[in-house]
Short mmCIF file of all heavy atoms in Angstrom, two decimals:
data_model
loop_
_atom_site.label_atom_id
_atom_site.label_comp_id
_atom_site.label_asym_id
_atom_site.label_seq_id
_atom_site.Cartn_x
_atom_site.Cartn_y
_atom_site.Cartn_z
N GLU F 3 4.85 3.46 18.75
CA GLU F 3 5.82 2.84 19.66
C GLU F 3 5.28 1.59 20.35
O GLU F 3 5.99 0.61 20.52
CB GLU F 3 6.27 3.86 20.71
CG GLU F 3 7.07 5.02 20.11
CD GLU F 3 7.61 5.94 21.17
OE1 GLU F 3 7.45 5.62 22.38
OE2 GLU F 3 8.19 6.99 20.81
N ASP F 4 4.03 1.61 20.77
CA ASP F 4 3.46 0.49 21.48
C ASP F 4 3.21 -0.68 20.51
O ASP F 4 2.52 -0.52 19.49
CB ASP F 4 2.14 0.90 22.14
CG ASP F 4 1.52 -0.24 22.92
OD1 ASP F 4 1.97 -0.52 24.04
OD2 ASP F 4 0.57 -0.86 22.39
N LYS F 5 3.77 -1.83 20.84
CA LYS F 5 3.65 -2.99 19.93
C LYS F 5 2.21 -3.40 19.70
O LYS F 5 1.80 -3.71 18.58
CB LYS F 5 4.45 -4.18 20.49
CG LYS F 5 4.41 -5.41 19.58
CD LYS F 5 5.10 -6.61 20.21
CE LYS F 5 4.94 -7.85 19.34
NZ LYS F 5 5.48 -9.07 19.99
N GLY F 6 1.43 -3.40 20.76
CA GLY F 6 0.03 -3.80 20.64
C GLY F 6 -0.75 -2.87 19.72
O GLY F 6 -1.53 -3.32 18.89
N GLU F 7 -0.49 -1.57 19.86
CA GLU F 7 -1.16 -0.60 19.00
C GLU F 7 -0.67 -0.71 17.56
O GLU F 7 -1.46 -0.52 16.62
CB GLU F 7 -0.92 0.83 19.53
CG GLU F 7 -1.63 1.15 20.83
CD GLU F 7 -3.14 1.01 20.70
OE1 GLU F 7 -3.70 1.52 19.71
OE2 GLU F 7 -3.77 0.37 21.58
N ARG F 8 0.61 -1.01 17.42
CA ARG F 8 1.17 -1.19 16.07
C ARG F 8 0.53 -2.40 15.39
O ARG F 8 0.17 -2.35 14.20
CB ARG F 8 2.69 -1.36 16.13
CG ARG F 8 3.37 -1.21 14.78
CD ARG F 8 4.87 -1.46 14.87
NE ARG F 8 5.45 -0.81 16.04
CZ ARG F 8 6.21 -1.43 16.93
NH1 ARG F 8 6.48 -2.73 16.81
NH2 ARG F 8 6.69 -0.78 17.96
N GLU F 9 0.37 -3.48 16.14
CA GLU F 9 -0.29 -4.68 15.61
C GLU F 9 -1.72 -4.37 15.19
O GLU F 9 -2.17 -4.79 14.11
CB GLU F 9 -0.29 -5.79 16.66
CG GLU F 9 1.06 -6.43 16.89
CD GLU F 9 1.01 -7.47 17.99
OE1 GLU F 9 0.08 -7.42 18.83
OE2 GLU F 9 1.90 -8.34 18.03
N LYS F 10 -2.42 -3.62 16.05
CA LYS F 10 -3.82 -3.28 15.76
C LYS F 10 -3.90 -2.43 14.48
O LYS F 10 -4.77 -2.66 13.62
CB LYS F 10 -4.41 -2.51 16.95
CG LYS F 10 -5.91 -2.26 16.82
CD LYS F 10 -6.42 -1.38 17.96
CE LYS F 10 -6.19 -2.03 19.31
NZ LYS F 10 -6.76 -1.19 20.41
N TYR F 11 -3.00 -1.46 14.36
CA TYR F 11 -2.99 -0.60 13.18
C TYR F 11 -2.72 -1.40 11.92
O TYR F 11 -3.41 -1.24 10.90
CB TYR F 11 -1.91 0.49 13.34
CG TYR F 11 -1.68 1.30 12.09
CD1 TYR F 11 -2.48 2.41 11.79
CD2 TYR F 11 -0.67 0.93 11.19
CE1 TYR F 11 -2.27 3.14 10.63
CE2 TYR F 11 -0.47 1.66 10.02
CZ TYR F 11 -1.27 2.76 9.75
OH TYR F 11 -1.07 3.48 8.59
N LEU F 12 -1.71 -2.27 11.96
CA LEU F 12 -1.34 -3.07 10.79
C LEU F 12 -2.47 -4.00 10.37
O LEU F 12 -2.77 -4.14 9.18
CB LEU F 12 -0.07 -3.88 11.08
CG LEU F 12 1.24 -3.10 11.10
CD1 LEU F 12 2.38 -4.00 11.60
CD2 LEU F 12 1.57 -2.56 9.72
N LEU F 13 -3.09 -4.64 11.35
CA LEU F 13 -4.19 -5.57 11.03
C LEU F 13 -5.34 -4.82 10.36
O LEU F 13 -5.89 -5.29 9.34
CB LEU F 13 -4.67 -6.27 12.29
CG LEU F 13 -5.71 -7.37 12.08
CD1 LEU F 13 -5.17 -8.48 11.19
CD2 LEU F 13 -6.15 -7.95 13.43
N GLN F 14 -5.68 -3.66 10.90
CA GLN F 14 -6.77 -2.88 10.32
C GLN F 14 -6.41 -2.43 8.90
O GLN F 14 -7.24 -2.52 7.98
CB GLN F 14 -7.05 -1.66 11.19
CG GLN F 14 -8.18 -0.77 10.65
CD GLN F 14 -8.45 0.43 11.55
OE1 GLN F 14 -8.03 0.49 12.70
NE2 GLN F 14 -9.16 1.41 11.01
N LYS F 15 -5.18 -1.98 8.71
CA LYS F 15 -4.75 -1.50 7.39
C LYS F 15 -4.74 -2.64 6.38
O LYS F 15 -5.20 -2.48 5.24
CB LYS F 15 -3.34 -0.89 7.51
CG LYS F 15 -2.90 -0.13 6.28
CD LYS F 15 -3.68 1.14 6.10
CE LYS F 15 -3.15 1.94 4.93
NZ LYS F 15 -3.94 3.17 4.69
N LEU F 16 -4.21 -3.78 6.77
CA LEU F 16 -4.16 -4.93 5.87
C LEU F 16 -5.55 -5.42 5.49
O LEU F 16 -5.80 -5.80 4.34
CB LEU F 16 -3.35 -6.07 6.51
CG LEU F 16 -1.85 -5.84 6.60
CD1 LEU F 16 -1.21 -6.87 7.53
CD2 LEU F 16 -1.20 -5.90 5.22
N GLU F 17 -6.46 -5.41 6.44
CA GLU F 17 -7.84 -5.82 6.16
C GLU F 17 -8.52 -4.84 5.21
O GLU F 17 -9.29 -5.24 4.33
CB GLU F 17 -8.63 -5.94 7.46
CG GLU F 17 -8.24 -7.16 8.31
CD GLU F 17 -8.57 -8.46 7.60
OE1 GLU F 17 -9.71 -8.61 7.13
OE2 GLU F 17 -7.69 -9.33 7.53
N GLU F 18 -8.23 -3.56 5.37
CA GLU F 18 -8.79 -2.55 4.45
C GLU F 18 -8.26 -2.77 3.03
O GLU F 18 -9.03 -2.69 2.05
CB GLU F 18 -8.39 -1.15 4.92
CG GLU F 18 -9.12 -0.68 6.18
CD GLU F 18 -8.58 0.64 6.70
OE1 GLU F 18 -7.62 1.19 6.08
OE2 GLU F 18 -9.10 1.14 7.72
N LEU F 19 -6.98 -3.02 2.91
CA LEU F 19 -6.38 -3.26 1.59
C LEU F 19 -6.93 -4.54 0.97
O LEU F 19 -7.21 -4.59 -0.23
CB LEU F 19 -4.86 -3.34 1.71
CG LEU F 19 -4.16 -2.02 2.09
CD1 LEU F 19 -2.68 -2.27 2.38
CD2 LEU F 19 -4.31 -0.99 0.96
N LEU F 20 -7.09 -5.56 1.79
CA LEU F 20 -7.64 -6.83 1.29
C LEU F 20 -9.06 -6.64 0.78
O LEU F 20 -9.43 -7.20 -0.27
CB LEU F 20 -7.60 -7.89 2.40
CG LEU F 20 -8.16 -9.27 2.02
CD1 LEU F 20 -7.37 -9.88 0.86
CD2 LEU F 20 -8.12 -10.19 3.23
N GLU F 21 -9.83 -5.84 1.49
CA GLU F 21 -11.22 -5.59 1.06
C GLU F 21 -11.25 -4.93 -0.31
O GLU F 21 -12.12 -5.22 -1.13
CB GLU F 21 -11.92 -4.71 2.11
CG GLU F 21 -13.42 -4.53 1.82
CD GLU F 21 -14.12 -3.79 2.93
OE1 GLU F 21 -13.53 -3.58 4.00
OE2 GLU F 21 -15.29 -3.43 2.72
N ARG F 22 -10.28 -4.04 -0.57
CA ARG F 22 -10.22 -3.36 -1.86
C ARG F 22 -9.82 -4.30 -3.00
O ARG F 22 -10.21 -4.09 -4.14
CB ARG F 22 -9.18 -2.23 -1.79
CG ARG F 22 -9.74 -0.93 -1.29
CD ARG F 22 -8.66 0.07 -0.91
NE ARG F 22 -7.53 0.17 -1.82
CZ ARG F 22 -6.48 0.96 -1.57
NH1 ARG F 22 -6.43 1.69 -0.46
NH2 ARG F 22 -5.49 1.03 -2.43
N ARG F 23 -9.06 -5.33 -2.67
CA ARG F 23 -8.44 -6.15 -3.70
C ARG F 23 -8.98 -7.58 -3.80
O ARG F 23 -8.72 -8.27 -4.79
CB ARG F 23 -6.93 -6.22 -3.44
CG ARG F 23 -6.26 -4.87 -3.44
CD ARG F 23 -4.93 -4.87 -2.74
NE ARG F 23 -4.30 -3.56 -2.80
CZ ARG F 23 -3.19 -3.23 -2.12
NH1 ARG F 23 -2.61 -4.13 -1.33
NH2 ARG F 23 -2.67 -2.03 -2.25
N SER F 24 -9.71 -8.03 -2.81
CA SER F 24 -10.08 -9.45 -2.74
C SER F 24 -10.93 -9.90 -3.92
O SER F 24 -10.84 -11.06 -4.35
CB SER F 24 -10.80 -9.76 -1.42
OG SER F 24 -11.98 -8.99 -1.30
N HIS F 25 -11.77 -9.00 -4.47
CA HIS F 25 -12.60 -9.41 -5.61
C HIS F 25 -11.75 -9.77 -6.82
O HIS F 25 -12.16 -10.58 -7.65
CB HIS F 25 -13.59 -8.30 -5.97
CG HIS F 25 -12.97 -7.05 -6.51
ND1 HIS F 25 -12.21 -6.20 -5.74
CD2 HIS F 25 -12.99 -6.52 -7.76
CE1 HIS F 25 -11.79 -5.19 -6.47
NE2 HIS F 25 -12.25 -5.35 -7.71
N ARG F 26 -10.53 -9.21 -6.90
CA ARG F 26 -9.58 -9.58 -7.95
C ARG F 26 -8.90 -10.90 -7.59
O ARG F 26 -8.84 -11.83 -8.39
CB ARG F 26 -8.52 -8.51 -8.13
CG ARG F 26 -9.03 -7.16 -8.50
CD ARG F 26 -9.57 -7.13 -9.90
NE ARG F 26 -9.69 -5.77 -10.37
CZ ARG F 26 -10.57 -5.34 -11.25
NH1 ARG F 26 -11.46 -6.18 -11.74
NH2 ARG F 26 -10.62 -4.07 -11.63
N TYR F 27 -8.37 -10.95 -6.38
CA TYR F 27 -7.66 -12.15 -5.95
C TYR F 27 -8.52 -13.39 -6.10
O TYR F 27 -8.02 -14.47 -6.49
CB TYR F 27 -7.23 -12.01 -4.49
CG TYR F 27 -6.21 -10.94 -4.18
CD1 TYR F 27 -6.16 -10.36 -2.90
CD2 TYR F 27 -5.30 -10.51 -5.12
CE1 TYR F 27 -5.22 -9.39 -2.58
CE2 TYR F 27 -4.36 -9.52 -4.81
CZ TYR F 27 -4.33 -8.97 -3.54
OH TYR F 27 -3.40 -8.02 -3.23
#
């Protein structure tokens, strides 16, 4: 519900996904 916490969660999740895929990109 909290926008700030939602932003923090999304940023962390996106960075995790990028780390998994960046060597391909």
Side-chain angles (χ1 to χ4, degrees):
E3 294 185 6
D4 181 78
K5 182 185 175 186
E7 290 300 314
R8 194 183 316 129
E9 287 177 338
K10 187 186 300 183
Y11 171 85
L12 286 172
L13 186 60
Q14 180 179 344
K15 191 70 175 178
L16 289 167
E17 288 295 310
E18 288 173 359
L19 292 171
L20 180 60
E21 186 174 350
R22 273 166 42 184
R23 301 161 178 172
S24 60
H25 67 290
R26 300 290 197 210
Y27 294 154

